[in-house]
Amino acid sequence: MEITRENTGDLLTTVTINVAPEDYQDEVKRILKDYSKRVNIKGFRQGKVPLSVMKKMYGKGVIVDELNKIISQALESYVQEQDLVIVGEPMPKTTNLELESELDKSYSLSYEIGLAPDFEIDYGLAGQTPLYLVNIDEEILNKEVQDMQKRFGPMTNPEESQEGDILFGKVSELDAEGNLVEDGLARMAALNPDRVEDEALKEIMGQPKKPEDTFDVKMEQIFPRNADLRRFWESNAQNEKVRNVNDELLEEIKGKTFRFELKRINRIEPMEIGPELFEKAFGEGEITEEADFRDRVSNDMDGFFNNEATRYYRSNTIKSLIEGIELPLPEEFLQSYLVQSREQLTEENVGEIMESYLRSLRWRLIVEKMQKADDTVKVAEEDLRERAEEKVMAQFGAMIGEDQERLDSFVSYYLREEKIVQEIFDEVLEDRVFAHVAQENPPVEETITATEFMEKLKSEAD
């Protein structure tokens, strides 16, 4: 077998594999002889079918299978030996290969391969976003307490709304003349005055209304941030993904007018701060005094906000590394690869996912570079099991106690789910990556109030 390689463009190379008869004929003969022992062919005793007959009947199929196996192994070995960092998968350039049932023909197959460039990680980019230490201020603590009073308060469905009520209904697309669009965009929505920011919409909502009343609204009045608007229309009421809202469709939706038809009024009477609220929020006997209640709420919020601050730092650091490191990719090759490898993609719609695909690919290449430089970034099987134990104990610790056998049983059951294993792997890998980043460039910590942090998230949501 002979393997040759020719660079055919920026970050593109063509590998040609020349397979000689001696590379496949012995294995093909062995397989055909094994077939002859098991097949029944009229005119021949079982196990006595001549090789010439077996070649005529089964030779091409066996040769195809053997060539595929040989070429796959050869490509994999060649990539490893040459230390090539490939993107996508090798794409066959040879088509309509003429196969023969005889075992004395040579075959030549060529594959186009996309390559990742050599690059350096600039860890200085990781210092562009601070790691916020979030303090719970009185303003946001009071708001959370008020939200809890509403959350646990009794709800009624009056016949007529008043200011502060949640309006539940259906939003439906209108045409330029103000008529409902048949089969247009439509779905159920809940308008909560505590979350609506548009003053004009708040005023409309505050006016008395009854079920089946309608009013017209722009989507930007309900969702001023692109991320929230995109999320709303990408899923249905059951939170199932129903469409991909790309930038073009997003702008189209923002320009449309929708009709809101009121279906139900939800009115929540805030629960007084006292024993009943303490019990509903944290369980019987856990909290008895308002000061302790506020401390408990503050501590819970502290954990939540500092987790969010970590996510914010990591998300922005990933963005800074992806966008700041010069890492060109063979985009036309990758676009062709996606179209050929994914049934739902065509030349017309592949562009919708290219940006997110390329960002994801660049991040994967950056992580792989870190793993080559630092073994601690790699995730082993025992790491997955250790993280699974932490999760099981956090959820079922009171039930398991010190029973190691029971813990092992829970963990084994936990790790049967492929989706859960992938989630744990991603968590552990992200922790390892940012431990490595912190070694190269420790994050700069900055204190901020929870209210300031929320305002920052809102301002950057788009």
Side-chain angles (χ1 to χ4, degrees):
M1 184 186 305
E2 181 186 19
I3 300 178
T4 59
R5 176 181 158 204
E6 178 186 2
N7 291 332
T8 53
D10 292 339
L11 303 176
L12 291 174
T13 192
T14 296
V15 173
T16 300
I17 302 174
N18 299 301
V19 183
E22 56 268 24
D23 295 321
Y24 68 88
Q25 58 188 197
D26 288 346
E27 182 63 12
V28 170
K29 287 179 182 178
R30 185 194 68 76
I31 293 172
L32 291 175
K33 286 179 181 178
D34 184 61
Y35 277 10
S36 71
K37 296 175 184 178
R38 294 183 279 116
V39 299
N40 290 312
I41 299 178
K42 189 175 180 180
F44 298 97
R45 285 184 298 163
Q46 189 169 353
K48 298 298 182 180
V49 183
L51 182 61
S52 58
V53 174
M54 294 301 298
K55 283 194 295 184
K56 186 175 181 180
M57 295 183 68
Y58 301 106
K60 286 186 180 180
V62 176
I63 290 173
V64 167
D65 290 343
E66 188 59 21
L67 286 177
N68 284 335
K69 184 173 71 174
I70 289 172
I71 290 166
S72 176
Q73 292 173 347
L75 265 178
E76 184 177 349
S77 298
Y78 182 81
V79 167
Q80 291 177 352
E81 290 166 4
Q82 298 295 314
D83 198 25
L84 301 180
V85 181
I86 71 172
V87 291
E89 296 289 343
M91 301 270 285
K93 295 185 71 173
T94 305
T95 58
N96 300 321
L97 189 66
E98 293 185 6
L99 289 164
E100 295 183 6
S101 57
E102 295 301 322
L103 307 180
D104 58 356
K105 183 179 178 181
S106 296
Y107 296 95
S108 181
L109 296 97
S110 296
Y111 291 82
E112 187 172 46
I113 297 176
L115 301 174
D118 189 22
F119 64 95
E120 296 299 325
I121 299 176
D122 179 2
Y123 289 98
L125 295 167
Q128 294 182 355
T129 299
L131 176 58
Y132 289 113
L133 304 178
V134 183
N135 290 332
I136 307 302
D137 54 282
E138 283 297 308
E139 180 182 345
I140 204 160
L141 176 58
N142 290 336
K143 185 177 184 303
E144 178 64 17
V145 170
Q146 291 167 7
D147 286 346
M148 293 178 75
Q149 288 178 267
K150 291 182 180 180
R151 193 182 315 150
F152 295 107
M155 185 175 72
T156 59
N157 304 114
E159 285 300 313
E160 185 172 84
S161 71
Q162 65 183 31
E163 189 173 359
D165 288 344
I166 298 171
L167 307 183
F168 182 78
K170 184 177 183 179
V171 287
S172 304
E173 179 184 350
L174 301 179
D175 61 21
E177 286 73 40
N179 301 311
L180 290 173
V181 177
E182 186 177 355
D183 297 327
L185 291 170
R187 66 159 289 189
M188 304 304 290
L191 302 185
N192 187 334
D194 290 341
R195 296 176 184 172
V196 170
E197 299 177 18
D198 185 84
E199 292 301 326
L201 179 55
K202 277 187 175 183
E203 185 177 346
I204 293 172
M205 292 174 61
Q207 297 167 1
K209 289 179 177 53
K210 294 182 179 181
E212 298 186 5
D213 283 354
T214 64
F215 57 85
D216 295 348
V217 64
K218 291 280 191 180
M219 275 295 119
E220 286 182 298
Q221 292 179 276
I222 303 175
F223 301 107
R225 282 168 286 280
N226 287 346
D228 296 331
L229 178 55
R230 192 190 305 271
R231 191 160 42 243
F232 178 78
W233 283 111
E234 283 190 334
S235 61
N236 58 21
Q238 289 73 44
N239 205 31
E240 300 166 333
K241 185 158 184 177
V242 293
R243 65 177 61 85
N244 178 48
V245 180
N246 57 26
D247 291 343
E248 182 179 353
L249 179 56
L250 182 71
E251 291 304 314
E252 184 181 335
I253 291 173
K254 287 166 69 175
K256 294 179 182 293
T257 300
F258 289 78
R259 179 153 296 153
F260 181 88
E261 181 183 3
L262 181 60
K263 299 292 186 181
R264 188 178 69 243
I265 300 164
N266 294 342
R267 180 175 299 163
I268 300 174
E269 298 294 339
M271 180 176 286
E272 290 187 5
I273 297 177
E276 187 178 0
L277 176 60
F278 304 158
E279 182 176 330
K280 283 186 176 292
F282 298 115
E284 186 177 0
E286 289 290 317
I287 304 289
T288 58
E289 301 293 334
E290 182 177 349
D292 295 334
F293 171 72
R294 291 176 66 85
D295 285 344
R296 175 69 178 270
V297 174
S298 179
N299 288 336
D300 288 352
M301 292 179 71
D302 184 72
F304 169 79
F305 272 101
N306 281 291
N307 284 336
E308 287 301 303
T310 297
R311 274 193 280 270
Y312 177 82
Y313 162 75
R314 290 183 176 186
S315 175
N316 279 275
T317 296
I318 289 172
K319 181 180 178 182
S320 296
L321 290 169
I322 289 173
E323 295 178 355
I325 295 173
E326 187 175 350
L327 215 171
L329 293 170
E331 295 187 20
E332 288 187 14
F333 168 83
L334 290 169
Q335 186 164 308
S336 297
Y337 158 70
L338 288 174
V339 170
Q340 293 190 33
S341 62
R342 300 187 184 182
E343 288 185 7
Q344 73 274 24
L345 293 180
T346 65
E347 294 287 352
E348 288 71 33
N349 65 19
V350 67
E352 296 176 4
I353 71 159
M354 279 303 294
E355 183 178 354
S356 61
Y357 173 76
L358 292 173
R359 289 178 67 85
S360 176
L361 179 54
R362 286 189 172 96
W363 178 240
R364 178 175 66 78
L365 292 170
I366 291 169
V367 170
E368 288 176 356
K369 183 98 173 174
M370 292 179 186
Q371 290 175 322
K372 287 182 179 179
D374 184 354
D375 283 342
T376 65
V377 182
K378 297 175 182 177
V379 180
E381 186 175 345
E382 55 266 28
D383 300 321
L384 300 180
R385 189 166 188 86
E386 182 178 333
R387 181 61 60 89
E389 286 186 2
E390 293 173 6
K391 287 180 171 292
V392 168
M393 288 303 293
Q395 189 172 0
F396 304 107
M399 185 190 308
I400 294 171
E402 301 295 324
D403 191 337
Q404 185 63 43
E405 186 175 342
R406 196 171 193 184
L407 173 60
D408 291 341
S409 176
F410 270 77
V411 169
S412 296
Y413 182 80
Y414 208 66
L415 293 176
R416 288 178 189 172
E417 291 290 334
E418 184 177 340
K419 183 179 179 181
I420 291 177
V421 172
Q422 185 62 51
E423 288 174 355
I424 293 174
F425 177 87
D426 292 341
E427 285 181 15
V428 175
L429 178 60
E430 184 176 305
D431 288 347
R432 296 291 177 85
V433 164
F434 280 94
H436 171 78
V437 170
Q439 284 183 340
E440 300 294 327
N441 184 12
V444 176
E445 296 181 345
E446 184 177 317
T447 301
I448 189 173
T449 67
T451 298
E452 291 170 336
F453 182 65
M454 287 295 292
E455 289 302 319
K456 179 175 285 292
L457 293 183
K458 285 181 181 179
S459 67
E460 297 179 8
D462 288 345

